[in-house]
Amino acid sequence: KAGVTQTPRYLIKTRGQQVTLSCSPISGHRSVSWYQQTPGQGLQFLFEYFSETQRNKGNFPGRFSGRQFSNSRSEMNVSTLELGDSALYLCASSTSGTVTQYFGPGTRLLVL
Amino acid sequence: KNEVEQSPQNLTAQEGEFITINCSYSVGISALHWLQQHPGGGIVSLFMLSSGKKKHGRLIATINIQEKHSSLHITASHPRDSAVYICAVSENYGGSQGNLIFGKGTKLSVKP
């Protein structure tokens, strides 16, 4: 089975722009979670989608949003980018009813 | 105080040594995870525990639910074990299990 894929892998944006990141889960996985990793804060939970519904959300401003499509692929969007949004964004997928998560390689975002 | 605390933050060992990384948490959990992150960012899930002990090759993970403590042991350490090891918990509040709370990680360096 193919693993979790994320696109793009690297991205450079400027302050004020918006960005969309994509995550394709392992086939058959219906849950997709998104995480932000920074040197200062470490790994932090952004949100989780299950069957196209946001099931849980972390403590991030409304500039961070996401969605999930019927094929379980997920996107996250960050509007009005700030310098502090520079981070590695990871998504992870899991099957319904389990908590073992399989992580993608991440998208490294640099905001200038 | 962080909800998930790891110790030590950094660890240097000689090849062949027995290594222990500790994790303490302060919330009710449904499961505890040990993750491995290599330089470059990719995260691999090593163990998911809700009780007792699990072993995979040279890695052993234990959890004591009453004491809210888990340990990850590496026997006969090897330079390829050099990575950041992250403890994470799935908080038990009856809702989604798709979000994790992470420790800050333990950076392990194994010298030949």
Side-chain angles (χ1 to χ4, degrees):
Chain A
K1 259 189 190 177
V4 178
T5 58
Q6 291 186 246
T7 56
R9 294 292 312 278
Y10 303 93
L11 204 49
I12 300 175
K13 291 286 188 178
T14 56
R15 275 184 304 173
Q17 288 187 309
Q18 75 165 18
V19 67
T20 299
L21 311 181
S22 180
C23 173
S24 292
I26 291 172
S27 177
H29 286 193
R30 295 166 65 190
S31 170
V32 174
S33 296
W34 287 90
Y35 302 94
Q36 181 198 63
Q37 186 176 37
T38 60
Q41 297 297 320
L43 277 157
Q44 294 180 282
F45 169 72
L46 279 158
F47 28 65
E48 183 211 1
Y49 285 87
F50 182 83
S51 293
E52 302 180 64
T53 300
Q54 187 180 88
R55 197 155 67 169
N56 204 2
K57 190 176 193 298
N59 190 25
F60 278 81
R63 299 185 297 108
F64 291 82
S65 63
R67 59 179 176 169
Q68 187 179 34
F69 302 95
S70 58
N71 62 358
S72 293
R73 189 177 70 86
S74 178
E75 290 181 346
M76 68 162 281
N77 184 274
V78 188
S79 62
T80 319
L81 283 165
E82 300 177 359
L83 296 180
D85 297 332
S86 295
L88 178 67
Y89 290 89
L90 292 152
C91 79
S93 74
S94 63
T95 59
S96 167
T98 74
V99 295
T100 300
Q101 297 193 18
Y102 298 85
F103 286 81
T107 294
R108 197 167 293 277
L109 172 65
L110 177 62
V111 182
L112 301 175
Chain B
K1 188 180 185 294
N2 292 330
E3 293 164 306
V4 181
E5 298 272 3
Q6 283 186 243
S7 63
Q9 283 187 298
N10 293 281
L11 184 54
T12 300
Q14 287 297 127
E15 184 173 356
E17 285 185 357
F18 180 85
I19 289 163
T20 295
I21 299 170
N22 295 299
C23 175
S24 296
Y25 54 92
S26 58
V27 296
I29 68 168
S30 58
L32 182 142
H33 307 250
W34 282 102
L35 310 171
Q36 180 192 59
Q37 186 173 32
H38 280 284
I43 291 179
V44 174
S45 180
L46 298 174
F47 294 104
M48 181 186 72
L49 295 161
S50 54
S51 64
K53 175 180 174 178
K54 287 190 176 181
K55 184 176 189 292
H56 185 254
R58 296 179 295 106
L59 302 178
I60 302 165
T62 64
I63 187 169
N64 184 319
I65 297 294
Q66 287 72 31
E67 295 186 4
K68 294 189 174 181
H69 180 269
S70 176
S71 293
L72 176 68
H73 306 286
I74 305 175
T75 61
S77 60
H78 190 276
R80 65 175 175 265
D81 297 325
S82 297
V84 176
Y85 292 83
I86 302 167
C87 172
V89 300
S90 301
E91 197 173 5
N92 183 10
Y93 54 85
S96 160
Q97 295 177 329
N99 59 300
L100 300 177
I101 306 170
F102 298 88
K104 295 293 187 188
T106 295
K107 186 174 182 181
L108 172 64
S109 178
V110 182
K111 307 293 186 188

